[in-house]
């Protein structure tokens, strides 16, 4: 049975169909314009939520990369400062060895002592290194406190090693702390961007890990004091002790450099992993959000065809009327 | 002869009636609500003669409206759905679009804030890094507020639309009541239906039904009764009941709909009774989508506030202030107590209830909140208080609010209740909205904004080994927990290798294992966990002291930054971003499903309309055919007159 169709309905249906097609063409146009298949969350609620989570992961990853770079910069600076400390100590050690030569006169030794005293001064200067913004790098977290200062103690008369931490009679005091500056460089990874001065300069351990209880400065000052002693002999335990202490100090600084190097290399591999992750996140985001232009444009031409057909049909049927014939 | 003429006249009259009706149909081709009309034509009674029965022509019994009540009701029902869904969709699309912008949404603002935190972590002593963290926090707060502001505008729009819709409904119901009266009186006058009045009334009902879904019933006298909801009368015969948009008694900030009674008192209509139509769409949008959006946004703001403040309070600022110091800004963010709305019908002068956000809880790794995105209702029945979570009707009861709080303690919801000691009367009730306004109340502590050095980036306590330590023990981490305290000066720990203890100056000890945290509780120092790794030598000493000079210590800011990826919400089950993503997903889903349902209902509506139109609609071709048909009938009857005249002339000429 045929259904009666009212004239109003014929117009209404025709216009309604055209509007529907125009609306979906508009949606497609919006997608093509923005290059996104999700223009607003309703287009893909699950995808939108996932995209948010992935882009947070990506941002957090970027944040870690930023921190990794910052940590690398700090540690590289630290390493070059320590290299300076190392070479200074190396120099001191060589001069001290030479001064042990039996042919040196008191005057020769006093000259060496003078040079060593100056080098000690620059060593203390290095230990009080400040970064570009004036923060002391070897003060633990007390970066505005000058970490190393002369104690003003006199060399101990009873103690053969003159200056030492135990019994306490230090040449140079440490005013910083053991505080560590940490940066988050991974979900559960933190990297320490400093080594407290106490570990590098004060708590010196020799190559076998035995503590000397003499700071780097105590060791050098003891050597200076020894060389300034008239008639000093290389066989004096004061000389061998001081020399051993300086050697231990060198080992200690070398250890610190090794620690810094290890941190730098683990940061490097983290940065590589992070770069891979960034690519993965980008790809995930692209899959979730980006428009597939090929299929979008195909859809556009299909809908265009449909719209044209609907318009043509409407125009044709609207013209038909029995009144034209009577 | 006269018989012939009179029969011809009946034919002419009938054809004329047909032509008139057809003309009326054609001229109402585009009239909304017009039902096509047909004449009902019957033959006149036969006159019996000896030669048999002779027909006496025809007459028109009535002009009938081609109308099917059943089909019209189908259209009404589909139309109410479509109007509701379209209204719902156009409202929720605003929120959907609000969430759409990837560059200016909440997510990037939150991310920038956490980026700025890491900048401070990298340079804790830098005031410019701290300044940018304050800016990051302020722009995040303003993003929250701006979304809140948009939601607020949408709500104001909904409220004003409820008002104007109610006005339109009243105008329709009045007109329907008036038409009822006219239809009844016209019918009693002429006995014939007044088709145009019926059409008008049906059209008014269709229009009314677009605003709110109504049911109709036909009375014997031809008048309609119109009902809304589950049988609440809007129109009975010639009387219309006025609808009113009023402030809800349960929540005076909320516009609800009621019916004005005989006495002028307004009886609130429960929202669930108003379904369909624009009004139904507005109300369901408000309760399903808008309220949830407010609460989700507030939930996120409140959780950021509470977890941040809890962690921030455990730090030390750049000036060396710690918890308890007058200059210390414990809270990084400011907020206010949740809104508690007393029912307008509560006994006057009764107790005032207030709610407070609970401090964040600690999971062992991080702080989290137990807040939900639901509102709550507190009701007193004369003996007990019952707190009901409105999202799922979970209940907490107690004889006093303190008892309710005790019940809440074992199943925390992120807030507690107190009263001012006033009297409760049976039947009193309160609505508690722990999260709704939190995005509006969200702010950065003004003291910190003014002086970013107050950001508590460092730990309050420093633990360092003395320089004479011979072992390899080094301090790995220090952590303080809520309620920690620091003693005077410093506290020395000495390692006793034989007992594996750390010994305090007063001789008391705490067990020590390398790499594991031990808690300090001695001489005024408490709530401090210290982890020392490596192997201390016998007699090695570690000093606890206030971290005043530790300007480069970022331990606390690192923990604040860590909150971004930790489970800080919904009882330690979701991250901030999880919660935001769920919010966006929820809005997206609701919008998409409104769109799909609306499309499906529109299809149903067009089918129902097609069915109704197949009976009632005017087809111009059909009317053109009828025009010719009646024209020819007219001409034929006129021809009979001519024949009769010719016959008469013939007879005359014979005579």
């Amino acid at each position: 049975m045929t259904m009666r169709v009212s004239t109003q309905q014929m117009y209404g249906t025709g216009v309604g169909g055209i509007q529907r097609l125009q609306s979906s063409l508009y949606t497609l146009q919006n997608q093509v314009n923005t290059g996104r298949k999700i223009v607003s969350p309703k287009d893909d609620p699950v995808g939108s939520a996932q995209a948010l989570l992935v882009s947070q992961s990506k941002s957090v990853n970027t944040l870690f990369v930023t921190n990794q770079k910052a940590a690398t910069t700090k540690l590289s600076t630290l390493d070059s400062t320590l290299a300076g400390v190392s070479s200074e100590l190396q120099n001191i050690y060589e001069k001290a060895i030479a001064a042990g030569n039996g042919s040196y006169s008191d005057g020769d030794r006093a000259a060496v002592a003078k040079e060593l005293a100056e080098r000690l001064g620059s060593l203390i200067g290095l230990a009080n290194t400040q970064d570009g913004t004036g923060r002391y790098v070897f003060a633990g977290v007390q970066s505005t406190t000058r970490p190393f200062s002369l104690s003003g103690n006199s060399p101990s008369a009873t103690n053969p090693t003159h200056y030492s931490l135990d019994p306490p009679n230090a040449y140079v005091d440490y005013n910083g702390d053991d505080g560590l500056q940490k940066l988050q460089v991974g979900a559960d990874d933190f990297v320490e961007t400093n080594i407290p001065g106490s570990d590098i300069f004060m708590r010196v351990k020799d190559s076998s890990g035995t503590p000397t209880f003499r700071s780097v400065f105590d060791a050098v000052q003891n050597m200076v004091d020894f060389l300034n002693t008239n008639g000093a002999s290389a066989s004096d335990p004061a000389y061998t002790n001081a020399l051993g202490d300086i050697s231990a100090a060198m080992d200690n600084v070398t250890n610190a450099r090794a620690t810094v190097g290890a941190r730098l290399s683990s940061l490097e591999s983290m940065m590589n992993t992070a770069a891979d992750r960034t690519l993965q996140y980008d790809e995930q985001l692209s899959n979730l959000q980006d428009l597939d232009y090929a299929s979008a444009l195909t859809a556009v031409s299909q809908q265009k065809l449909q719209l044209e057909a609907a318009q043509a049909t409407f125009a044709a049927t609207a013209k038909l009327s029995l009144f034209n014939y009577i | 002869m006269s018989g012939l003429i009179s029969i011809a006249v009946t034919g002419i009259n009938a054809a004329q009636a047909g032509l008139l009706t057809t003309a009326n149909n054609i001229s109402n081709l585009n009239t909304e609500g017009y039902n096509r009309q047909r004449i009902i034509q019957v033959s006149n009674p036969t006159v019996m003669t000896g030669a048999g029965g002779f027909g006496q022509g025809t007459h028109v019994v009535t002009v009938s409206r081609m109308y099917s009540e059943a089909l019209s009701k189908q259209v009404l029902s589909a139309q109410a759905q479509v109007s509701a869904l379209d209204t719902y969709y156009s409202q929720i699309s605003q929120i959907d679009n609000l969430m759409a912008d990837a560059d200016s949404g909440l997510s990037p603002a939150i991310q920038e804030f956490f980026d700025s935190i890491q900048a401070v972590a990298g340079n804790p002593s830098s005031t410019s890094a701290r300044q940018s963290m304050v800016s990051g926090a302020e722009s995040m707060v303003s993003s929250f507020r701006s979304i809140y502001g948009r939601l607020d505008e949408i709500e104001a729009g909904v409220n004003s639309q409820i008002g104007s819709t109610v006005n339109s409904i009243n105008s329709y119901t009045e007109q329907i009541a008036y038409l009822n009266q006219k239809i009844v009186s016209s019918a009693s006058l002429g006995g014939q239906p007044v088709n145009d009045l019926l059409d008008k009334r049906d059209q008014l009902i269709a229009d009314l039904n677009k605003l709110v879904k109504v049911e109709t019933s036909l009375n014997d006298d031809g008048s309609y009764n119109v009902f809304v909801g589950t049988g609440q009368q809007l129109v009975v015969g010639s009387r219309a009941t006025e609808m009113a948009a009023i402030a809800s008694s349960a929540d005076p900030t909320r516009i609800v709909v009621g019916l004005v009674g005989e006495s002028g008192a307004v009886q609130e209509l429960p929202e669930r009774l108003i379904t369909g139509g624009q009004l139904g769409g507005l109300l369901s949008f408000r309760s399903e989508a808008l309220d949830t959006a407010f609460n989700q946004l507030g939930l996120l703001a409140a959780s950021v506030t509470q977890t941040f403040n809890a962690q921030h309070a455990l730090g030390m600022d750049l000036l060396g202030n710690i918890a308890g110091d007058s200059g210390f800004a414990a809270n990084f963010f400011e907020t206010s107590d949740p809104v508690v709305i007393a029912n307008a019908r509560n006994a006057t002068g009764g107790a005032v209830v207030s709610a407070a956000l609970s401090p964040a809880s600690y999971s062992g790794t991080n702080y989290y909140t137990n807040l939900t995105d639901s509102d709550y209702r507190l009701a007193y029945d004369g003996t007990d208080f019952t707190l009901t979570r409105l999202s799922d009707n979970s209940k907490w009861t107690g004889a006093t609010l303190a008892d309710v709080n005790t019940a809440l303690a074992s199943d925390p919801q992120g807030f507690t209740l107190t009263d001012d000691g006033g009297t409760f009367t049976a039947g009193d009730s309160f609505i508690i909205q722990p999260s709704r306004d939190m995005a509006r109340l969200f702010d950065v502590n003004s003291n910190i904004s003014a002086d970013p050095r107050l950001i508590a980036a460092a730990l309050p306590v420093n633990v360092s080994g003395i320089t004479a330590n011979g072992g390899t023990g080094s301090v790995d981490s220090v952590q303080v927990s809520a309620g920690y305290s620091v003693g005077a000066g410093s506290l020395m720990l000495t390692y006793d290798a034989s007992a594996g203890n750390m010994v305090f100056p007063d001789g008391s000890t705490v067990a020590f294992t390398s790499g594991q945290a031990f808690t300090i509780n001695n001489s005024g120092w408490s709530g401090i966990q210290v982890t020392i790794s490596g192997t201390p030598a016998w007699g090695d000493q570690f000093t606890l002291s206030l971290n005043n000079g530790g300007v480069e210590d970022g331990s606390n800011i690192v923990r604040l930054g860590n909150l971004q990826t930790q489970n800080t919400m919904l009882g330690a089950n979701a991250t901030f971003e999880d919660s935001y993503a769920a919010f966006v997903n929820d809005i997206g889903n609701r919008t998409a499903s409104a769109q799909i349902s609306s499309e499906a209902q529109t299809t149903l509506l067009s089918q129902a309309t097609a069915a109704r139109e197949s009976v009632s609609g005017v087809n111009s071709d059909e009317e053109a055919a009828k025009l010719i048909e009646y024209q020819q009938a007219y001409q034929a009857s006129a021809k009979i007159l001519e024949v009769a005249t010719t016959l008469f002339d013939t007879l005359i000429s014979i005579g």
Side-chain angles (χ1 to χ4, degrees), chain A residues 25-97:
Chain A
L25 257 178
Y26 171 76
T27 308
L28 275 171
Q29 194 187 0
N30 236 334
Q31 288 180 333
V32 172
N33 284 348
T34 54
R36 286 160 57 182
K37 63 182 168 200
I38 306 178
V39 176
S40 74
K42 75 164 191 312
D43 299 331
D44 180 359
V46 176
S48 317
Q50 270 180 344
L52 278 174
L53 294 175
V54 173
S55 55
Q56 159 163 296
S57 303
K58 189 186 155 196
S59 307
V60 168
N61 189 52
T62 311
L63 206 81
F64 290 154
V65 172
T66 311
N67 280 352
Q68 285 158 9
K69 285 181 183 157
T72 304
T73 310
K74 285 195 176 190
L75 286 170
S76 303
T77 317
L78 184 60
D79 184 56
S80 64
T81 311
L82 288 178
V85 172
S86 261
S87 85
E88 201 66 66
L89 280 172
Q90 182 69 36
N91 230 313
I92 289 170
Y93 184 71
E94 279 162 16
K95 291 277 160 16
I97 292 271

Side-chain angles (χ1 to χ4, degrees), chain A residues 199-266:
Chain A
D199 279 342
I200 299 173
F201 297 101
M202 303 303 280
R203 286 190 285 261
V204 174
K205 294 186 176 64
D206 67 16
S207 54
S208 58
T210 313
T212 64
F213 296 108
R214 255 90 58 195
S215 74
V216 171
F217 316 108
D218 291 342
V220 179
Q221 184 59 36
N222 287 343
M223 180 58 80
V224 170
D225 286 348
F226 166 76
L227 293 176
N228 276 329
T229 315
N230 286 333
S233 150
S235 58
D236 189 325
Y239 174 70
T240 46
N241 280 346
L243 201 62
D245 286 349
I246 294 172
S247 163
M250 286 163 65
D251 288 339
N252 207 51
V253 174
T254 308
N255 275 340
R257 287 190 70 188
T259 307
V260 172
R263 288 179 197 167
L264 279 170
S265 80
S266 86

Side-chain angles (χ1 to χ4, degrees), chain B residues 58-117:
Chain B
T58 184
H59 75 279
V60 171
V61 183
T62 188
V63 179
S64 160
R65 197 166 70 116
M66 305 306 282
Y67 173 79
S68 158
E69 194 188 350
L71 292 177
S72 289
K73 284 200 165 162
Q74 278 181 22
V75 173
L76 285 183
S77 149
Q79 179 64 60
Q81 289 289 326
V82 168
S83 301
L85 286 164
D86 283 355
T87 307
Y88 187 102
Y89 177 70
S90 71
Q91 292 292 334
I92 198 169
S93 292
Q94 299 182 71
I95 305 183
D96 188 55
N97 289 330
L98 198 58
M99 301 290 138
D101 199 336
D103 301 321
S104 68
L106 261 193
S107 203
I110 294 175
Q111 185 60 46
E112 275 162 34
F113 173 55
F114 279 100
D115 288 353
S116 68
I117 291 178

